[in-house]
Amino acid sequence: MDAVPSAPVVGDYGSAGSITAASWSRARHIGWLDRARWVLAFVTVGIGVGLAESGWLLYRQMRGDRLEIDVHPEFLWLTPLAQGAWGLLAGLLVAGFSWVLPRLTAITAPFLLGFLGTLAIACWFAELEPWARLILSLGAGFQAARWLRGSSPSSISTGPQRPSRVGEVDDPCFEQGDGDRLGLVARAAPIMICLSLGVMVWSLARQEWRQRPQGASSFPPVATIPGPELHATTPAASANTATAPPLPTNRTAIRNVVWIVLDTVRADALSHLGYHRETTPKLDAWARRGVTFERAIAPCSWTFPSHASMFTGLTQESYDPDLKLVLPDRAYTIAERYSDADYRTAGFVGNSSCCTQWFGLHQGFQRFDTHLLDPIVALRQPASGRRLLNVLAQSWDWVARKLDLPAPQRIPPLYRRFHSANDLNAKALAWLRRHDDRPFFLFLNYYDVHAPFLPKTTTNPRFGRPIEHWYEYAIVRMFYDLDPSRTAPSVLQFVRDAYDQCLADLDSAIDELLSELERTGRLEETLVIITSDHGESFGEHGQFGHGRLLHQEESWVPLILIAPGSPALPAGKRISTPVSLLDLPATVLDLTNHANDGTCRPAFPGQSLRRFWSQTTAQREESLPSDTTEAVYSELLPLTPDFLQHPTHHNRPLRLLVAGRYTFFRNREGREWLFDLENDPGETVNLIDSDDPVHQEAAQRLRAALAERIGRQTRF
């Protein structure tokens, strides 16, 4: 009797693993359930890797490491959700490829799952070479494929598997028993999603709890370290306490503080400080309602140390002698002082590179908003996401260059983003509206004039012309990488035009904020401080950018104090004497009736700038310590202990003393420079070896003053 032929088994690949024509035809139809399991498996691995990365970042933060500038403050919940989104994208791509190459996709999906997961973890460690990451991830991918199939590699292509459902390919990745491990991974996706959402809810609730209104408290005890200029404070062990001064009760007195920092704005770029272009007409009008300091000196020529010094009154060598680039918790900030006095405190920051929580600048702020949160920023949160988006951005550069895209489409949308001045204004005004009538301390950092110089006004700009060609965008984006000695004057003028237009756009945003404060009646009882953290070099002294030197293009910044409703600040006053931003904490306390007059022990060094408009020169000198002059100090330290090995930074540490008509510099090698600003405003002729007895006497006096100033540097 002839044997009855059995019905063909769907998915029978033959004894040697060959795929018959019939099975290949059936392989074009993979069921929706299997595709869904692939997608969920990738989501599970993505969220799992994201949670692990959040834990790793949290450990580093608790250990005191300074995190990368692209790490968002809400990394605990943002990292797993963003990594899960990348996993979802990868899963959808795999499911999409299964329509075209079903068998190949079924074989490679487990490998890709392990490969991409390991590659995402390897991206955490910047010290790993790219080839090392690739080899490690390839090995993990092969091992993941073996484990997920639950058998030897031969099962990839040999032997019949479970009968498939009608219209599906027999996929060894989803076989019964141990081989269904991929299905187990997929079924864990809801748990992972709920876990990441739980972390998000907990983190946001904790943030709201921290921002809740605080009750009045007393100032912490402080121990004053004596010194003619520097009264640094450290926690005291004494049981004596100093209570906060009472809040002003007179409604015409200064109750509130708005501190505005125009990041990267040099003083001579403002029209009311002598610039030949009318870059800041609206700010000029506001300046006429207050006090303008024509020669304000920043504590440093880059963002972090300048902000930290403004907030504490201390130089970087005092609070960061080990060059950890972080403001320690024991440093007492002006925001902490006002928070302790029952003020509402908030900071809204555009510079998400060097003015963030990772640098310790959030101390004392009940709310400190530094990172723009949009889909691109969220996808950049994982280390692997940053690397992938950087590759995509470079690809966008190449495509835009080849296609010569129109100007609005020429800016890659994948680069790191920041809050614009208008965004910060909206956030700040919304914050003011949602809270009670208690006095407030508000800090704003505007980043609009920092490179890349991309003006908000894209048509009919006031200065220069719009960006019309790809290479022009590349110039303003890569300005710091240009060689000043090889840059054509026309290129330099194009960059300066873009810078000036950015400043003109920022001028409108400042006017928008102050006008709204005046319209709501808040400005009458508010002290407004407008300054900058540093300037910008446009080829002067052979440099582009900032943080390179301490010449006036990098260290001289605007400083305007406005209080329209208070007689404490005269209108239209201009001060030509050099002043330091290190005096700002003492000045703000003085003008808001929190004076360092003995009722509360001084928590901040320096002297109130009120002395420049309320005292004569003789009275001002008499009020200062006997061995102190009005010389202004600034310093530029290495970024890290090994930073000096870089050949272009041999000058650091670089120190500056400004006194009257002279600027005096000294670098780490003992080389000195002396410039006479009256006869050489560009600081081009070094007079340190001059035979003129006047210059010789100035050099000796400033050399001694600088040595004495450095000797009195107080460290924690």
Side-chain angles (χ1 to χ4, degrees):
M1 174 183 263
D2 295 336
V4 178
S6 58
V9 179
V10 178
D12 188 353
Y13 298 106
S15 58
S18 61
I19 303 178
T20 65
S23 63
W24 180 259
S25 176
R26 289 191 298 271
R28 299 178 183 177
H29 305 286
I30 299 178
W32 287 103
L33 179 59
D34 286 343
R35 290 194 181 94
R37 297 169 82 188
W38 286 346
V39 172
L40 291 176
F42 277 92
V43 171
T44 299
V45 172
I47 295 178
V49 171
L51 289 171
E53 185 172 357
S54 291
W56 169 244
L57 292 173
L58 182 61
Y59 166 74
R60 290 182 56 196
Q61 186 185 48
M62 295 174 64
R63 195 175 63 179
D65 294 349
R66 185 173 62 86
L67 303 183
E68 292 79 4
I69 60 176
D70 285 313
V71 175
H72 198 280
E74 296 300 322
F75 66 85
L76 277 179
W77 62 269
L78 195 57
T79 304
L81 286 184
Q83 199 67 271
W86 282 117
L88 175 63
L89 178 61
L92 291 175
L93 289 176
V94 169
F97 276 116
S98 68
W99 290 95
V100 181
L101 300 172
R103 177 62 180 171
L104 180 62
T105 304
I107 294 175
T108 58
F111 166 78
L112 290 174
L113 196 62
F115 172 79
L116 295 178
T118 306
L119 186 61
I121 295 175
C123 288
W124 304 352
F125 307 99
E127 60 273 13
L128 282 178
E129 295 291 338
W131 60 266
R133 295 192 189 99
L134 181 61
I135 293 176
L136 182 64
S137 302
L138 286 172
F142 283 115
Q143 292 300 321
R146 294 185 61 181
W147 181 83
L148 289 171
R149 291 189 175 95
S151 57
S152 65
S154 62
S155 66
I156 295 177
S157 59
T158 63
Q161 309 295 336
R162 65 166 174 85
S164 298
R165 293 176 294 276
V166 175
E168 296 181 12
V169 67
D170 184 18
D171 185 0
C173 303
F174 297 114
E175 60 182 306
Q176 296 287 345
D178 292 339
D180 199 28
R181 289 170 180 168
L182 190 61
L184 294 177
V185 174
R187 286 191 288 273
I191 299 176
M192 287 294 185
I193 294 174
C194 292
L195 184 59
S196 60
L197 291 177
V199 173
M200 180 184 70
V201 171
W202 175 79
S203 298
L204 295 178
R206 184 185 62 169
Q207 183 184 46
E208 289 297 324
W209 175 259
R210 287 180 174 179
Q211 296 177 16
R212 72 193 189 283
Q214 304 286 334
S217 61
S218 61
F219 288 126
V222 294
T224 301
I225 300 175
E229 285 186 6
L230 191 62
H231 303 287
T233 59
T234 56
S238 170
N240 297 329
T241 59
T243 58
L247 298 178
T249 56
N250 184 359
R251 296 294 291 182
T252 62
I254 299 175
R255 302 177 71 242
N256 311 310
V257 178
V258 175
W259 191 320
I260 301 174
V261 173
L262 315 178
D263 206 302
T264 321
V265 173
R266 50 190 282 172
D268 61 1
L270 275 66
S271 48
H272 76 280
L273 291 178
Y275 194 41
H276 66 280
R277 285 176 161 177
E278 195 177 23
T279 53
T280 54
K282 296 177 181 178
L283 183 57
D284 297 349
W286 286 106
R288 288 191 288 270
R289 301 175 63 176
V291 177
T292 298
F293 293 87
E294 299 175 346
R295 300 181 65 189
I297 309 299
C300 189
S301 59
W302 70 284
T303 298
F304 158 67
S306 191
H307 278 82
S309 295
M310 279 191 285
F311 288 169
T312 62
L314 302 172
T315 60
Q316 184 183 359
E317 199 166 17
S318 299
Y319 57 78
D320 188 26
D322 299 325
L323 302 179
K324 293 184 177 180
L325 299 186
V326 64
L327 184 64
D329 291 338
R330 59 183 178 274
Y332 198 49
T333 69
I334 188 68
E336 288 179 292
R337 184 69 178 263
Y338 281 96
S339 180
D340 288 338
D342 198 29
Y343 275 61
R344 295 178 289 125
T345 59
F348 298 93
V349 176
N351 188 337
S352 59
S353 297
C354 303
C355 191
T356 66
Q357 289 88 338
W358 314 135
F359 292 85
L361 298 177
H362 66 294
Q363 297 178 38
F365 290 102
Q366 297 156 14
R367 178 175 179 182
F368 198 69
D369 190 333
T370 60
H371 288 70
L372 180 67
L373 186 56
D374 66 6
I376 297 298
V377 172
L379 290 175
R380 287 186 63 90
Q381 173 56 39
S384 57
R386 290 194 292 274
R387 295 183 183 277
L388 178 58
L389 285 177
N390 286 339
V391 172
L392 294 177
Q394 294 171 6
S395 302
W396 181 280
D397 288 352
W398 183 85
V399 171
R401 186 166 60 250
K402 294 297 182 182
L403 299 181
D404 195 21
L405 295 179
Q409 303 176 24
R410 207 166 283 137
I411 301 175
L414 303 179
Y415 286 115
R416 182 176 53 82
R417 303 180 177 187
F418 60 90
H419 288 290
S420 69
N422 299 101
D423 295 332
L424 296 179
N425 287 348
K427 286 177 174 287
L429 294 173
W431 176 79
L432 289 175
R433 286 191 293 267
R434 66 176 288 196
H435 288 84
D436 55 38
D437 192 42
R438 290 184 303 150
F440 60 84
F441 180 93
L442 175 63
F443 165 65
L444 291 158
N445 169 281
Y446 291 139
Y447 196 64
D448 301 58
V449 192
H450 193 288
F453 307 125
L454 299 175
K456 182 181 177 181
T457 302
T458 57
T459 58
N460 299 321
R462 194 186 313 171
F463 309 112
R465 55 182 174 78
I467 297 176
E468 297 177 348
H469 301 284
W470 166 255
Y471 67 85
E472 292 175 343
Y473 168 73
I475 288 173
V476 297
R477 183 171 63 84
M478 304 174 64
F479 169 60
Y480 293 170
D481 297 328
L482 299 179
D483 183 354
S485 64
R486 302 176 61 183
T487 302
S490 59
V491 173
L492 181 59
Q493 186 59 52
F494 177 78
V495 174
R496 188 58 195 262
D497 289 343
Y499 178 89
D500 291 346
Q501 185 59 51
C502 287
L503 183 56
D505 294 340
L506 180 59
D507 180 60
S508 300
I510 298 170
D511 179 69
E512 172 190 310
L513 175 70
L514 298 183
S515 298
E516 180 63 19
L517 291 175
E518 187 171 43
R519 187 189 67 81
T520 57
R522 295 181 182 271
L523 193 63
E524 291 297 312
E525 50 187 15
T526 298
L527 168 65
V528 180
I529 306 162
I530 302 175
T531 186
S532 178
D533 53 347
H534 55 77
E536 187 81 332
S537 292
F538 290 96
E540 302 94 341
H541 302 95
Q543 299 291 333
F544 284 153
H546 55 267
R548 313 291 178 88
L549 296 171
L550 288 175
H551 288 286
Q552 57 184 342
E553 62 268 12
E554 294 190 42
S555 63
W556 287 28
V557 295
L559 177 58
I560 303 168
L561 305 181
I562 306 170
S566 173
L569 272 170
K573 184 73 173 179
R574 296 175 73 98
I575 308 295
S576 60
T577 306
V579 299
S580 174
L581 300 190
L582 293 170
D583 284 335
L584 283 181
T587 303
V588 176
L589 288 173
D590 179 21
L591 295 177
T592 56
N593 293 341
H594 292 281
N596 295 330
D597 56 3
T599 58
C600 178
R601 285 180 293 171
F604 297 96
Q607 295 274 330
S608 173
L609 295 177
R610 186 200 290 260
R611 66 188 187 272
F612 288 100
W613 66 81
S614 64
Q615 298 176 344
T616 64
T617 302
Q619 291 173 330
R620 187 166 66 248
E621 293 178 350
E622 183 179 354
S623 66
L624 293 171
S626 58
D627 61 344
T628 301
T629 67
E630 291 285 5
V632 177
Y633 176 79
S634 183
E635 65 185 13
L636 182 60
L637 302 183
L639 291 180
T640 60
D642 60 350
F643 189 74
L644 294 175
Q645 297 178 6
H646 197 286
T648 62
H649 301 125
H650 62 277
N651 280 327
R652 299 189 181 186
L654 183 65
R655 307 180 192 278
L656 164 68
L657 208 61
V658 181
R661 58 189 278 193
Y662 291 102
T663 56
F664 179 79
F665 299 82
R666 178 186 289 168
N667 69 359
R668 70 184 182 102
E669 299 171 347
R671 186 181 177 187
E672 297 175 339
W673 294 262
L674 179 71
F675 299 102
D676 181 2
L677 298 181
E678 287 187 0
N679 301 308
D680 180 25
E683 298 176 304
T684 59
V685 180
N686 186 6
L687 301 174
I688 198 65
D689 296 323
S690 172
D691 295 333
D692 190 325
V694 176
H695 298 326
Q696 290 180 350
E697 187 277 333
Q700 293 176 358
R701 175 169 51 86
L702 292 175
R703 184 181 297 115
L706 182 61
E708 188 271 338
R709 179 67 174 80
I710 296 173
R712 289 189 287 104
Q713 288 280 40
T714 302
R715 297 186 180 185
F716 285 108

